[in-house]
Amino acid sequence: MALAEQFDSSNVDIPPGKGVATSTEVKMVAEGVDVYYGDKQAIDNVSMEILDKSVTAFIGPSGCGKSTFLRCLNRMNDTIDIAKVTGRIYLDGEDINSSEVDPVQVRARVGMVFQKPNPFPKSIYENVAYGPRIHGLASTREELDDIVKGSLARAGLLDEVESRMHEPGTGLSGGQQQRLCIARCIACNPEVILMDEPTSALDPIASARIEELIDELRENYCIIIVTHNMQQAARISQKTAFFHLGVLVEYENTVDIFNNPRDERTKDYISGRFG
Amino acid sequence: MTGALIVTLAVLSVIGYYMGRSKSVASVSGEVHQLHSRPGYYGFYVAIWTALPAFLLFVVWQILEPQILRAFVMGNVGPAVSELPPERVDLFYRDVVAIATEGVPSQVTPDHEAAADHYTSLKSLGTWSFVAFVMSLSVFLFAFAYRKVSPTLRARNWVERVIMGLLIVCSVIAILTTVGIILSLLFESLRFFNRIPIQDFLFGLQWSPQTALRAEQVGASGAFGAVPLFAGTFLITIIAMTVALPVGLMSAVYFSEYAGPGVRGFVKPMLEILAGVPTVVYGFFALLTVAPFIRDTADALGVATPAQSALAAGSVMGIMLIPFISSLSDDVINSVPQSLRDGSFAMGATKSETIRKVVLPAALPGIVGAVLLAVSRAIGETMIVVMAAGRSGNLTFNPLDSVTTITVQIVALLTGDQEFDSAKTLSAFALGLTLFFVTLVLNVIALNIVQKYRERYD
């Protein structure tokens, strides 16, 4: 109990009953993943299982490799010339790093939301319709309309933009832009949604709105979120992985990571001794 | 004399610099931090006072001296000369100056010689008194500035104000030159439009600028309908853009999106070499290689074509514009934020979908700007069309015909012996004005578009 008392004084609170994985279905599995940027090793032998219909948070100090690892999960590291990924990553049992797999197809199943909202310089409607169009998800205009409206509704944005669907997406506020990006991602009908610090460019109110949204989306998707904000990880995630210097240090139910960390480094990080 | 004056002024101001500097240091007995400005500024303070007013006076004198001299010399000649018609008076004075400066006068009379003697003595008197005046002014200001050097003098602020003044003068020179060129185009064009109505010029269908030199000459009344020139310019521009736009744009897409750093580092400089080829070289390439090739090909297909054709000039001009379009488009494509590409990739779009549906639409305003700049270059391009497009003002849209452009006709009108105020010569100014107007409008539109585009991402 001495340990628990020590962390009572930290500013991370987890509401009772939260921060515990309820799902048991494994969506993604990483086995011995290494990432190199040129000669520099960014990720060292990471293995983990990620549960479906839950929120998994990656925390750790800057430069610890959490974003790099996140980008392995939809092969976004392919777009960086000098990045080299080895090891196996399974999505529903299929190795997405295998040479037979088309990364474009992987990314259609594993969507991503970025740190800075990046709506395309197109209308709100066109932003959301972009994915369904390239993947041929709608065969008629009506179906496309339904997908766009449904995605905006699930991202909690429809009420705010319904009257101006054909105005530029770049004209929305930062928080609305980020929800537009989430809607755009949902519209592709992904199974997994990766979020790379999705609220770090937003004000607290817009952040809270996104957090609520993430909690709602958990019902249907496997969500993996990288965050710098430990309270955020504690509030919204069921599982938390702590990365340090490219190594996965500890991966447990969120409540255990915050209230009962086993590793010294985790303990030091969440009690604010570094990071 | 004037050379010696400038050297003296320069030496004096250098001395002024060092004296002002050392006085400022001495005035605080070496404790330089007590000065308001760094010692160098005190040096410049004295040097500028010494040289700048004297130099400005010198410039003014250079402009005014000939007029003053002429007023004095011509004020002193007898009525036999001063009552001549103005152009004869001009000639007389030119001869006087020629005699005095040991040039080649057209005529020498006692009147001329007397005036020339007067000119010589006035000129040397004027020069000497001017030099004496400037030198004493300079020395006086030197002493004045040197006395004012003290630790509290704000020499730094003062020197910076002078520098700002200098910058203003330079920009005013640039602006005035532009305004001057526009005004001269405008006034000469107005003279032209006094003879040929503007509607005949803008809408006339026949261009044949040979005017009768003598009243009884037949068949050369002169027709100044510029429509064939506009049509020719338009045709060649269209051909050039048809070549340059797809090639330039696609190569830009390749360089910015697909090419690895190795290829990019090698091929981009190659393309920039293409941009550095002088247009006259393109011109004879068009004339000696492309035009015969086109003619032979057309002949082989049974189409009789002239040696010079719009197609030859236009396609070579297009090649000239490729690096222009390519490097401008490359810049705008590169300035599309990577986050937009990532966003598209993350939704499972392929590279080409991302380029077609996200990158190019985002870069479109900038690309349009680049294209308009290229069009205005194509319209104003001269050398290639002079050499390869021909000179006959055919009103045709057949690319195998020889056509002529506005620029070609300006060259044709102004080269060779011309009577300066004939309608033929003046029409060059009207053409120049038209050309200027069109390219100006295109450039303004293009720059506006590019500007708006920049604001969106910066």
Side-chain angles (χ1 to χ4, degrees), chain A residues 71 74 76 79 81 104 107-108 110-112 114 118-122 127-128 130-131 133-135 170 184-185 188, chain B residues 259-261 338-351 353-358 361-363 456-457:
Chain A
R71 291 168 66 94
N74 66 343
M76 276 299 277
T79 63
D81 288 335
V104 168
R107 293 186 201 129
V110 183
M112 190 167 194
F114 295 83
N118 56 351
F120 302 133
K122 300 167 181 283
N127 260 284
V128 183
Y130 181 79
R133 275 196 220 272
I134 55 177
H135 297 301
T170 43
R184 187 174 77 177
C185 178
C188 293
Chain B
Q338 181 62 30
S339 67
L340 290 185
R341 294 185 185 90
D342 283 348
S344 174
F345 289 142
M347 290 164 73
T350 61
K351 197 153 195 168
E353 282 166 343
T354 302
I355 291 166
R356 274 185 292 121
K357 298 186 175 173
V358 175
R456 181 129 49 111
Y457 293 119

Short mmCIF file of all heavy atoms in Angstrom, two decimals, chain A residues 71 74 76 79 81 104 107-108 110-112 114 118-122 127-128 130-131 133-135 170 184-185 188, chain B residues 259-261 338-351 353-358 361-363 456-457:
data_model
loop_
_atom_site.label_atom_id
_atom_site.label_comp_id
_atom_site.label_asym_id
_atom_site.label_seq_id
_atom_site.Cartn_x
_atom_site.Cartn_y
_atom_site.Cartn_z
N ARG A 71 3.14 4.44 -36.32
CA ARG A 71 3.16 4.51 -37.78
C ARG A 71 3.51 3.17 -38.44
O ARG A 71 3.29 3.00 -39.63
CB ARG A 71 4.14 5.60 -38.25
CG ARG A 71 3.67 7.01 -37.92
CD ARG A 71 4.77 8.03 -38.14
NE ARG A 71 5.13 8.13 -39.54
CZ ARG A 71 4.61 9.04 -40.38
NH1 ARG A 71 3.72 9.89 -39.93
NH2 ARG A 71 4.97 9.08 -41.63
N ASN A 74 0.11 1.04 -39.53
CA ASN A 74 -0.56 1.14 -40.82
C ASN A 74 0.46 1.37 -41.95
O ASN A 74 0.11 1.90 -42.99
CB ASN A 74 -1.63 2.25 -40.83
CG ASN A 74 -1.05 3.63 -40.67
OD1 ASN A 74 0.09 3.79 -40.26
ND2 ASN A 74 -1.82 4.63 -41.00
N MET A 76 2.70 3.51 -42.36
CA MET A 76 2.98 4.87 -42.79
C MET A 76 4.48 5.13 -42.86
O MET A 76 4.92 6.08 -43.50
CB MET A 76 2.33 5.89 -41.84
CG MET A 76 0.87 6.18 -42.14
SD MET A 76 0.62 6.88 -43.79
CE MET A 76 0.96 8.61 -43.46
N THR A 79 6.30 5.71 -46.18
CA THR A 79 6.40 6.97 -46.91
C THR A 79 7.67 7.74 -46.56
O THR A 79 7.96 8.76 -47.16
CB THR A 79 5.18 7.88 -46.61
OG1 THR A 79 5.20 8.22 -45.22
CG2 THR A 79 3.88 7.19 -46.96
N ASP A 81 11.57 7.67 -46.70
CA ASP A 81 12.56 6.91 -47.47
C ASP A 81 13.55 6.14 -46.59
O ASP A 81 13.88 5.00 -46.89
CB ASP A 81 13.35 7.86 -48.39
CG ASP A 81 12.49 8.34 -49.54
OD1 ASP A 81 11.53 7.62 -49.87
OD2 ASP A 81 12.77 9.42 -50.08
N VAL A 104 -1.38 0.10 -49.26
CA VAL A 104 -2.56 0.93 -49.49
C VAL A 104 -3.80 0.26 -48.91
O VAL A 104 -4.65 0.90 -48.29
CB VAL A 104 -2.70 1.19 -51.01
CG1 VAL A 104 -4.05 1.77 -51.33
CG2 VAL A 104 -1.58 2.10 -51.49
N ARG A 107 -3.85 0.50 -45.12
CA ARG A 107 -4.23 1.83 -44.60
C ARG A 107 -5.72 2.07 -44.73
O ARG A 107 -6.28 2.91 -44.02
CB ARG A 107 -3.44 2.91 -45.32
CG ARG A 107 -1.97 2.84 -45.00
CD ARG A 107 -1.20 3.98 -45.60
NE ARG A 107 0.19 3.64 -45.72
CZ ARG A 107 0.91 3.77 -46.82
NH1 ARG A 107 0.34 4.24 -47.91
NH2 ARG A 107 2.16 3.43 -46.83
N ALA A 108 -6.36 1.36 -45.66
CA ALA A 108 -7.81 1.50 -45.73
C ALA A 108 -8.47 0.84 -44.52
O ALA A 108 -9.53 1.26 -44.08
CB ALA A 108 -8.32 0.85 -47.02
N VAL A 110 -6.74 0.37 -41.51
CA VAL A 110 -6.19 1.00 -40.31
C VAL A 110 -6.09 2.50 -40.58
O VAL A 110 -5.15 2.96 -41.22
CB VAL A 110 -4.80 0.42 -39.96
CG1 VAL A 110 -4.29 1.02 -38.67
CG2 VAL A 110 -4.86 -1.09 -39.86
N GLY A 111 -7.06 3.26 -40.12
CA GLY A 111 -7.07 4.70 -40.39
C GLY A 111 -6.17 5.45 -39.43
O GLY A 111 -5.70 4.89 -38.43
N MET A 112 -5.94 6.71 -39.73
CA MET A 112 -5.04 7.48 -38.88
C MET A 112 -5.50 8.92 -38.76
O MET A 112 -5.94 9.52 -39.74
CB MET A 112 -3.63 7.42 -39.45
CG MET A 112 -2.58 7.97 -38.51
SD MET A 112 -0.93 7.54 -39.09
CE MET A 112 0.02 7.91 -37.65
N PHE A 114 -4.04 12.67 -37.31
CA PHE A 114 -2.73 13.24 -37.02
C PHE A 114 -2.77 14.28 -35.92
O PHE A 114 -3.83 14.74 -35.50
CB PHE A 114 -2.14 13.84 -38.29
CG PHE A 114 -1.86 12.81 -39.35
CD1 PHE A 114 -2.87 12.39 -40.19
CD2 PHE A 114 -0.61 12.25 -39.47
CE1 PHE A 114 -2.64 11.43 -41.16
CE2 PHE A 114 -0.37 11.28 -40.44
CZ PHE A 114 -1.38 10.88 -41.27
N ASN A 118 -5.43 18.11 -40.43
CA ASN A 118 -4.96 18.33 -41.80
C ASN A 118 -6.08 18.13 -42.82
O ASN A 118 -5.96 17.29 -43.70
CB ASN A 118 -3.76 17.43 -42.12
CG ASN A 118 -4.08 15.95 -41.90
OD1 ASN A 118 -5.12 15.61 -41.37
ND2 ASN A 118 -3.19 15.08 -42.34
N PRO A 119 -7.20 18.89 -42.70
CA PRO A 119 -8.23 18.74 -43.72
C PRO A 119 -7.67 19.13 -45.09
O PRO A 119 -6.78 19.98 -45.17
CB PRO A 119 -9.32 19.72 -43.27
CG PRO A 119 -8.61 20.72 -42.44
CD PRO A 119 -7.50 19.97 -41.76
N PHE A 120 -8.17 18.47 -46.13
CA PHE A 120 -7.74 18.86 -47.48
C PHE A 120 -8.35 20.20 -47.83
O PHE A 120 -9.44 20.54 -47.33
CB PHE A 120 -8.22 17.82 -48.50
CG PHE A 120 -7.73 16.43 -48.22
CD1 PHE A 120 -8.60 15.35 -48.26
CD2 PHE A 120 -6.40 16.21 -47.93
CE1 PHE A 120 -8.14 14.07 -47.99
CE2 PHE A 120 -5.94 14.93 -47.66
CZ PHE A 120 -6.81 13.85 -47.69
N PRO A 121 -7.71 20.97 -48.69
CA PRO A 121 -8.31 22.25 -49.10
C PRO A 121 -9.49 22.02 -50.04
O PRO A 121 -9.46 22.45 -51.20
CB PRO A 121 -7.14 22.99 -49.76
CG PRO A 121 -6.16 21.96 -50.13
CD PRO A 121 -6.37 20.79 -49.22
N LYS A 122 -10.49 21.32 -49.56
CA LYS A 122 -11.71 21.03 -50.33
C LYS A 122 -12.88 21.33 -49.40
O LYS A 122 -12.69 21.65 -48.24
CB LYS A 122 -11.77 19.55 -50.71
CG LYS A 122 -10.65 19.01 -51.56
CD LYS A 122 -10.75 17.48 -51.54
CE LYS A 122 -9.64 16.84 -52.35
NZ LYS A 122 -9.84 16.91 -53.79
N ASN A 127 -14.11 16.46 -48.28
CA ASN A 127 -13.13 15.90 -47.36
C ASN A 127 -13.56 14.52 -46.89
O ASN A 127 -12.77 13.59 -46.87
CB ASN A 127 -12.99 16.82 -46.15
CG ASN A 127 -11.76 17.70 -46.24
OD1 ASN A 127 -10.65 17.24 -46.02
ND2 ASN A 127 -11.97 18.95 -46.59
N VAL A 128 -14.85 14.42 -46.51
CA VAL A 128 -15.33 13.14 -45.98
C VAL A 128 -15.54 12.13 -47.11
O VAL A 128 -15.31 10.94 -46.94
CB VAL A 128 -16.62 13.36 -45.15
CG1 VAL A 128 -17.07 12.04 -44.54
CG2 VAL A 128 -16.38 14.39 -44.08
N TYR A 130 -13.84 11.78 -49.68
CA TYR A 130 -12.59 11.41 -50.35
C TYR A 130 -12.30 9.90 -50.26
O TYR A 130 -12.08 9.23 -51.27
CB TYR A 130 -11.44 12.20 -49.73
CG TYR A 130 -10.10 11.94 -50.35
CD1 TYR A 130 -9.74 12.54 -51.55
CD2 TYR A 130 -9.17 11.11 -49.72
CE1 TYR A 130 -8.51 12.32 -52.12
CE2 TYR A 130 -7.93 10.88 -50.29
CZ TYR A 130 -7.61 11.48 -51.49
OH TYR A 130 -6.38 11.25 -52.06
N GLY A 131 -12.32 9.38 -49.03
CA GLY A 131 -12.01 7.96 -48.82
C GLY A 131 -13.00 7.04 -49.52
O GLY A 131 -12.60 6.17 -50.32
N ARG A 133 -14.85 7.54 -52.00
CA ARG A 133 -14.70 7.64 -53.45
C ARG A 133 -13.53 6.78 -53.94
O ARG A 133 -13.68 6.02 -54.88
CB ARG A 133 -14.43 9.08 -53.87
CG ARG A 133 -15.66 9.93 -54.06
CD ARG A 133 -15.24 11.17 -54.85
NE ARG A 133 -15.90 12.37 -54.38
CZ ARG A 133 -17.08 12.77 -54.82
NH1 ARG A 133 -17.72 12.07 -55.72
NH2 ARG A 133 -17.62 13.88 -54.35
N ILE A 134 -12.34 6.92 -53.28
CA ILE A 134 -11.21 6.16 -53.81
C ILE A 134 -11.36 4.67 -53.57
O ILE A 134 -10.80 3.86 -54.30
CB ILE A 134 -9.84 6.66 -53.30
CG1 ILE A 134 -9.78 6.67 -51.78
CG2 ILE A 134 -9.48 8.02 -53.84
CD1 ILE A 134 -8.42 7.09 -51.26
N HIS A 135 -12.14 4.29 -52.53
CA HIS A 135 -12.31 2.86 -52.29
C HIS A 135 -13.59 2.32 -52.90
O HIS A 135 -13.90 1.15 -52.72
CB HIS A 135 -12.26 2.58 -50.79
CG HIS A 135 -10.94 2.93 -50.18
ND1 HIS A 135 -9.76 2.36 -50.60
CD2 HIS A 135 -10.60 3.80 -49.20
CE1 HIS A 135 -8.76 2.87 -49.90
NE2 HIS A 135 -9.24 3.75 -49.06
N THR A 170 -11.12 23.86 -44.45
CA THR A 170 -10.07 24.61 -43.78
C THR A 170 -10.63 25.82 -43.04
O THR A 170 -9.91 26.45 -42.27
CB THR A 170 -9.02 25.07 -44.80
OG1 THR A 170 -9.71 25.56 -45.96
CG2 THR A 170 -8.11 23.95 -45.22
N ARG A 184 -13.56 11.87 -41.58
CA ARG A 184 -12.95 11.45 -42.83
C ARG A 184 -12.37 10.05 -42.70
O ARG A 184 -12.45 9.23 -43.63
CB ARG A 184 -11.85 12.48 -43.14
CG ARG A 184 -11.19 12.39 -44.45
CD ARG A 184 -10.26 13.56 -44.61
NE ARG A 184 -9.03 13.39 -43.84
CZ ARG A 184 -8.03 14.26 -43.86
NH1 ARG A 184 -8.11 15.37 -44.57
NH2 ARG A 184 -6.94 14.05 -43.17
N CYS A 185 -11.78 9.82 -41.53
CA CYS A 185 -11.16 8.52 -41.26
C CYS A 185 -12.25 7.44 -41.12
O CYS A 185 -12.15 6.36 -41.71
CB CYS A 185 -10.34 8.66 -39.99
SG CYS A 185 -9.57 7.18 -39.45
N CYS A 188 -13.97 5.82 -44.27
CA CYS A 188 -13.33 4.74 -45.03
C CYS A 188 -13.69 3.38 -44.44
O CYS A 188 -13.20 2.35 -44.92
CB CYS A 188 -11.82 4.86 -44.99
SG CYS A 188 -11.21 6.28 -45.84
N ALA B 259 10.86 11.39 -57.85
CA ALA B 259 12.30 11.24 -58.03
C ALA B 259 13.01 11.14 -56.69
O ALA B 259 12.70 11.84 -55.74
CB ALA B 259 12.84 12.44 -58.80
N GLY B 260 13.97 10.25 -56.61
CA GLY B 260 14.81 10.16 -55.43
C GLY B 260 15.80 11.30 -55.43
O GLY B 260 15.97 11.98 -56.44
N PRO B 261 16.45 11.52 -54.28
CA PRO B 261 17.37 12.66 -54.20
C PRO B 261 18.48 12.59 -55.25
O PRO B 261 18.93 13.63 -55.74
CB PRO B 261 17.94 12.57 -52.78
CG PRO B 261 17.39 11.33 -52.17
CD PRO B 261 16.33 10.76 -53.04
N GLN B 338 3.31 18.48 -46.24
CA GLN B 338 3.41 17.02 -46.21
C GLN B 338 2.21 16.42 -45.47
O GLN B 338 1.77 15.30 -45.78
CB GLN B 338 4.73 16.62 -45.53
CG GLN B 338 4.99 15.13 -45.45
CD GLN B 338 5.09 14.47 -46.82
OE1 GLN B 338 5.51 15.11 -47.78
NE2 GLN B 338 4.69 13.23 -46.91
N SER B 339 1.65 17.18 -44.51
CA SER B 339 0.55 16.62 -43.72
C SER B 339 -0.65 16.27 -44.60
O SER B 339 -1.38 15.33 -44.30
CB SER B 339 0.14 17.62 -42.63
OG SER B 339 -0.43 18.76 -43.20
N LEU B 340 -0.84 17.02 -45.70
CA LEU B 340 -1.96 16.69 -46.59
C LEU B 340 -1.71 15.36 -47.29
O LEU B 340 -2.61 14.54 -47.45
CB LEU B 340 -2.15 17.78 -47.65
CG LEU B 340 -2.67 19.13 -47.15
CD1 LEU B 340 -2.91 20.06 -48.31
CD2 LEU B 340 -3.95 18.94 -46.36
N ARG B 341 -0.46 15.15 -47.71
CA ARG B 341 -0.13 13.86 -48.36
C ARG B 341 -0.32 12.73 -47.35
O ARG B 341 -0.91 11.70 -47.66
CB ARG B 341 1.30 13.87 -48.85
CG ARG B 341 1.55 14.86 -49.96
CD ARG B 341 2.97 14.73 -50.48
NE ARG B 341 3.21 15.77 -51.47
CZ ARG B 341 3.69 16.96 -51.17
NH1 ARG B 341 4.01 17.26 -49.94
NH2 ARG B 341 3.86 17.87 -52.13
N ASP B 342 0.21 12.94 -46.12
CA ASP B 342 0.07 11.91 -45.10
C ASP B 342 -1.40 11.59 -44.86
O ASP B 342 -1.79 10.43 -44.73
CB ASP B 342 0.70 12.38 -43.78
CG ASP B 342 2.22 12.30 -43.83
OD1 ASP B 342 2.74 11.67 -44.78
OD2 ASP B 342 2.87 12.85 -42.93
N GLY B 343 -2.22 12.65 -44.79
CA GLY B 343 -3.64 12.46 -44.57
C GLY B 343 -4.25 11.57 -45.63
O GLY B 343 -5.05 10.68 -45.35
N SER B 344 -3.85 11.82 -46.86
CA SER B 344 -4.39 11.03 -47.96
C SER B 344 -3.87 9.59 -47.94
O SER B 344 -4.64 8.64 -48.07
CB SER B 344 -4.05 11.72 -49.28
OG SER B 344 -4.43 10.92 -50.36
N PHE B 345 -2.56 9.45 -47.72
CA PHE B 345 -1.99 8.09 -47.65
C PHE B 345 -2.65 7.30 -46.54
O PHE B 345 -2.94 6.11 -46.69
CB PHE B 345 -0.48 8.15 -47.37
CG PHE B 345 0.33 8.66 -48.53
CD1 PHE B 345 1.43 9.48 -48.31
CD2 PHE B 345 0.01 8.32 -49.83
CE1 PHE B 345 2.17 9.95 -49.37
CE2 PHE B 345 0.76 8.78 -50.89
CZ PHE B 345 1.84 9.61 -50.65
N ALA B 346 -2.89 7.96 -45.40
CA ALA B 346 -3.42 7.26 -44.24
C ALA B 346 -4.84 6.76 -44.49
O ALA B 346 -5.35 5.95 -43.73
CB ALA B 346 -3.40 8.18 -43.02
N MET B 347 -5.48 7.27 -45.54
CA MET B 347 -6.82 6.76 -45.84
C MET B 347 -6.77 5.70 -46.92
O MET B 347 -7.80 5.32 -47.47
CB MET B 347 -7.71 7.92 -46.30
CG MET B 347 -8.00 8.83 -45.13
SD MET B 347 -8.62 10.38 -45.66
CE MET B 347 -10.22 9.87 -46.13
N GLY B 348 -5.57 5.25 -47.23
CA GLY B 348 -5.46 4.17 -48.20
C GLY B 348 -5.46 4.66 -49.63
O GLY B 348 -5.82 3.91 -50.53
N ALA B 349 -5.07 5.91 -49.84
CA ALA B 349 -4.96 6.39 -51.21
C ALA B 349 -3.58 6.03 -51.75
O ALA B 349 -2.61 6.00 -51.00
CB ALA B 349 -5.15 7.90 -51.27
N THR B 350 -3.51 5.74 -53.04
CA THR B 350 -2.20 5.47 -53.62
C THR B 350 -1.51 6.80 -53.91
O THR B 350 -2.10 7.87 -53.78
CB THR B 350 -2.34 4.73 -54.96
OG1 THR B 350 -3.07 5.56 -55.84
CG2 THR B 350 -3.06 3.42 -54.79
N LYS B 351 -0.25 6.70 -54.31
CA LYS B 351 0.52 7.89 -54.58
C LYS B 351 -0.12 8.72 -55.69
O LYS B 351 -0.24 9.94 -55.58
CB LYS B 351 1.94 7.49 -54.97
CG LYS B 351 2.89 8.64 -54.86
CD LYS B 351 4.29 8.13 -54.60
CE LYS B 351 5.14 9.28 -54.13
NZ LYS B 351 6.41 8.87 -53.60
N GLU B 353 -3.25 8.69 -56.74
CA GLU B 353 -4.52 9.29 -56.28
C GLU B 353 -4.24 10.52 -55.42
O GLU B 353 -4.92 11.55 -55.54
CB GLU B 353 -5.31 8.26 -55.46
CG GLU B 353 -6.02 7.23 -56.31
CD GLU B 353 -6.52 6.03 -55.50
OE1 GLU B 353 -6.05 5.82 -54.36
OE2 GLU B 353 -7.35 5.30 -56.03
N THR B 354 -3.24 10.39 -54.55
CA THR B 354 -2.90 11.51 -53.69
C THR B 354 -2.47 12.71 -54.51
O THR B 354 -2.89 13.84 -54.25
CB THR B 354 -1.77 11.09 -52.73
OG1 THR B 354 -2.21 9.97 -51.99
CG2 THR B 354 -1.40 12.22 -51.80
N ILE B 355 -1.65 12.46 -55.53
CA ILE B 355 -1.17 13.58 -56.35
C ILE B 355 -2.33 14.21 -57.13
O ILE B 355 -2.50 15.42 -57.14
CB ILE B 355 -0.07 13.09 -57.31
CG1 ILE B 355 1.18 12.73 -56.51
CG2 ILE B 355 0.26 14.16 -58.34
CD1 ILE B 355 2.19 11.94 -57.29
N ARG B 356 -3.16 13.35 -57.74
CA ARG B 356 -4.22 13.89 -58.59
C ARG B 356 -5.31 14.57 -57.78
O ARG B 356 -5.85 15.59 -58.19
CB ARG B 356 -4.83 12.75 -59.43
CG ARG B 356 -4.07 12.49 -60.72
CD ARG B 356 -4.77 11.46 -61.57
NE ARG B 356 -4.72 10.14 -60.95
CZ ARG B 356 -5.79 9.44 -60.62
NH1 ARG B 356 -6.99 9.90 -60.86
NH2 ARG B 356 -5.67 8.25 -60.06
N LYS B 357 -5.64 13.98 -56.62
CA LYS B 357 -6.83 14.48 -55.92
C LYS B 357 -6.52 15.42 -54.77
O LYS B 357 -7.41 16.13 -54.30
CB LYS B 357 -7.66 13.29 -55.41
CG LYS B 357 -8.14 12.45 -56.56
CD LYS B 357 -9.07 11.36 -56.12
CE LYS B 357 -9.61 10.64 -57.33
NZ LYS B 357 -10.39 9.47 -56.97
N VAL B 358 -5.30 15.39 -54.27
CA VAL B 358 -4.99 16.27 -53.14
C VAL B 358 -3.89 17.27 -53.49
O VAL B 358 -4.08 18.48 -53.37
CB VAL B 358 -4.59 15.45 -51.89
CG1 VAL B 358 -4.15 16.37 -50.77
CG2 VAL B 358 -5.76 14.59 -51.44
N PRO B 361 -4.74 19.66 -56.80
CA PRO B 361 -5.76 20.67 -56.50
C PRO B 361 -5.27 21.70 -55.50
O PRO B 361 -5.56 22.89 -55.63
CB PRO B 361 -6.92 19.85 -55.93
CG PRO B 361 -6.75 18.51 -56.49
CD PRO B 361 -5.27 18.29 -56.63
N ALA B 362 -4.49 21.26 -54.50
CA ALA B 362 -4.00 22.22 -53.51
C ALA B 362 -3.01 23.17 -54.15
O ALA B 362 -2.92 24.34 -53.78
CB ALA B 362 -3.37 21.49 -52.34
N ALA B 363 -2.25 22.67 -55.12
CA ALA B 363 -1.22 23.51 -55.75
C ALA B 363 -1.78 24.28 -56.94
O ALA B 363 -1.07 25.11 -57.52
CB ALA B 363 -0.05 22.63 -56.20
N ARG B 456 -2.61 31.02 -47.98
CA ARG B 456 -3.39 29.91 -47.48
C ARG B 456 -2.57 28.98 -46.59
O ARG B 456 -3.08 28.40 -45.64
CB ARG B 456 -3.95 29.12 -48.68
CG ARG B 456 -4.78 27.96 -48.27
CD ARG B 456 -6.13 27.91 -48.92
NE ARG B 456 -6.11 28.09 -50.35
CZ ARG B 456 -6.39 27.11 -51.21
NH1 ARG B 456 -6.64 25.91 -50.77
NH2 ARG B 456 -6.41 27.35 -52.50
N TYR B 457 -1.29 28.80 -46.90
CA TYR B 457 -0.52 27.83 -46.11
C TYR B 457 0.47 28.45 -45.15
O TYR B 457 0.94 27.80 -44.25
CB TYR B 457 0.23 26.87 -47.04
CG TYR B 457 -0.70 26.00 -47.82
CD1 TYR B 457 -0.74 26.05 -49.19
CD2 TYR B 457 -1.59 25.16 -47.15
CE1 TYR B 457 -1.62 25.26 -49.90
CE2 TYR B 457 -2.47 24.38 -47.85
CZ TYR B 457 -2.48 24.43 -49.22
OH TYR B 457 -3.35 23.65 -49.90
#
